Amino acid sequence: YEKLQTIFNENSGYCTKSYKLNLKQAKRKNISVRLSRDKINVQYPNELNYDSSEVQTAIRKGIERALKIEAQMFIPDRVKMLANKFSFRYNKLSLKNIKSRWGSCSRKNNINLSIHLMRIPEHLIDYVILHELTHTIHHNHGSRFWKLLNDITGNAKVLDKELRKFRISIY
């Protein structure tokens, strides 16, 4: 079965938290993806259509580059703040273009978070961060894990259900 995929075009109006997609056909030989202060500028040759796989792939790469910049500016400070506030200790934080899950925590308390968190509401970003920080104490999803996470968030299962409404990768 074929996945329905978003086809970005010049009128998509797609935005990340601080960048807007700016797609233009131009007299040029190759596809160009450049980030400016607040735009993801994608230019493509007149011979190509916006819906070609090359143009769509370039757009996704530009969006992911913007998400990575946004994640680097926001998430590390947020993780530190929440860890301090709730007395969690973690080893290392990595921000990655993970498309299969929002985050993970290793046995060594290394936390990996997806740059795609930048596409969801802030209260859910905090929930994912707190979820992974809770794994630094309980390395499973047992009852003690959920009790601690619920004590911190006040409504862990509700937040978890809300988070499931979002897709990790850009379709």
Side-chain angles (χ1 to χ4, degrees), residues 84-105:
N84 289 337
K85 183 176 179 179
F86 296 104
S87 304
F88 285 112
R89 297 169 69 117
Y90 62 97
N91 186 26
K92 195 174 83 185
L93 171 66
S94 298
L95 300 171
K96 299 178 178 176
N97 188 10
I98 308 167
K99 295 176 179 148
S100 56
R101 54 194 354 191
W102 296 111
S104 64
C105 178

Side-chain angles (χ1 to χ4, degrees), residues 18-154:
S18 50
Y19 292 90
K20 183 171 180 12
L21 177 61
N22 181 27
L23 181 62
K24 287 223 182 337
Q25 204 166 25
K27 194 174 173 190
R28 55 179 306 121
K29 295 218 181 310
N30 53 16
I31 300 170
S32 161
V33 180
R34 292 214 168 29
L35 296 186
S36 66
R37 207 180 34 183
D38 60 352
K39 287 195 176 64
I40 304 164
N41 293 302
V42 179
Q43 291 187 339
Y44 60 100
N46 287 326
E47 303 79 60
L48 286 177
N49 286 323
Y50 70 86
D51 60 354
S52 72
S53 64
E54 304 98 311
V55 173
Q56 293 298 310
T57 298
I59 292 167
R60 282 176 170 67
K61 289 214 181 326
I63 291 169
E64 287 167 355
R65 217 182 300 159
L67 291 172
K68 183 152 185 126
I69 290 167
E70 291 173 352
Q72 288 167 335
M73 289 171 56
F74 178 77
I75 292 176
D77 290 341
R78 201 78 191 152
V79 172
K80 267 187 212 136
M81 185 277 291
L82 290 168
N84 289 337
K85 183 176 179 179
F86 296 104
S87 304
F88 285 112
R89 297 169 69 117
Y90 62 97
N91 186 26
K92 195 174 83 185
L93 171 66
S94 298
L95 300 171
K96 299 178 178 176
N97 188 10
I98 308 167
K99 295 176 179 148
S100 56
R101 54 194 354 191
W102 296 111
S104 64
C105 178
S106 74
R107 282 259 170 222
K108 293 181 178 173
N109 294 339
N110 293 326
I111 293 176
N112 294 306
L113 293 171
S114 174
I115 62 171
H116 294 275
L117 283 169
M118 298 312 297
R119 295 184 13 252
I120 65 175
E122 241 173 74
H123 72 285
L124 291 177
I125 296 173
D126 285 354
Y127 168 71
V128 171
I129 292 168
L130 289 167
H131 182 109
E132 299 313 331
L133 286 169
T134 302
H135 279 310
T136 63
I137 300 194
H138 301 292
H139 289 275
N140 58 44
H141 286 114
S143 58
R144 292 186 310 163
F145 167 87
W146 285 108
K147 183 186 179 333
L148 178 57
L149 185 56
N150 200 56
D151 289 348
I152 292 165
T153 63

